[in-house]
Amino acid sequence: MIRPICRMGNPILRKIAADVKIEDISSDSFNQLLSELREAMNHYGGIGIAAPQIGVSKKVCIIELEGFNRYGQDINLPFTVFINPVIEVLDPAEKGYWEGCLSVPGLRGFVERAQNIRVSYLNEKAEKKTLNAEGFLATVVQHELDHLFGKLYIDHIKDPSLISYQEEYDEFILSKDTNE
Ligand code: NI
């Protein structure tokens, strides 16, 4: 069964999710959660999804970006599970992209974020990992990790005039975006 997506207004999206206990990572119930996250991401067509978005307030999110080209950048991140991730900004210089979110359906918003970050996390085998991410991938990682800390991309929008419905984004913004 595909889990429904929790949408903006659902208080679970505003909670700081609980850390996952290392000993739980090998459990059947945790593996079930990872399967449900992956199924939901594929079903709803996201490039990432976080556990609170399917109603589970735990610090787990997944991202999969393969053969993905955005804003002239080739971005590749094979299916990756981030458990208890911690982010470190390596360079505070920001760049903006139009973000969308399964929990905020039908909308796009322009968000500026740091473009050079490092994430420390556990993977699905409870191994310690670090990932350095730049450019659009850094934005995607920060967007997903925000979900584990009660934040949504709309919180970061500095200019409310840069919020658009998807159809109007496609019609008026995407076609004129020289970065695309
Ligand atoms: Ni999101």
Side-chain angles (χ1 to χ4, degrees), residues 33-94:
L33 170 61
L34 291 183
S35 300
E36 288 175 352
L37 273 173
R38 196 167 190 171
E39 281 169 14
M41 180 174 74
N42 293 336
H43 179 78
Y44 297 109
I47 54 181
I49 192 170
Q53 294 183 276
I54 60 166
V56 178
S57 191
K58 291 187 179 167
K59 284 210 182 91
V60 194
C61 61
I62 61 174
I63 295 175
E64 184 172 31
L65 278 166
E66 297 225 80
F68 195 84
N69 186 288
R70 197 72 170 269
Y71 301 98
Q73 302 172 34
D74 278 319
I75 301 132
N76 273 294
L77 183 69
F79 177 78
T80 303
V81 177
F82 297 90
I83 300 167
N84 300 343
V86 175
I87 205 160
E88 182 188 348
V89 174
L90 301 178
D91 179 351
E94 294 185 336

Side-chain angles (χ1 to χ4, degrees), residues 48-50 53 100-104 143-144 147 152-153:
I49 192 170
Q53 294 183 276
C101 181
L102 295 174
S103 294
V104 191
H143 177 119
E144 293 312 326
H147 281 300
L152 296 172
Y153 80 82

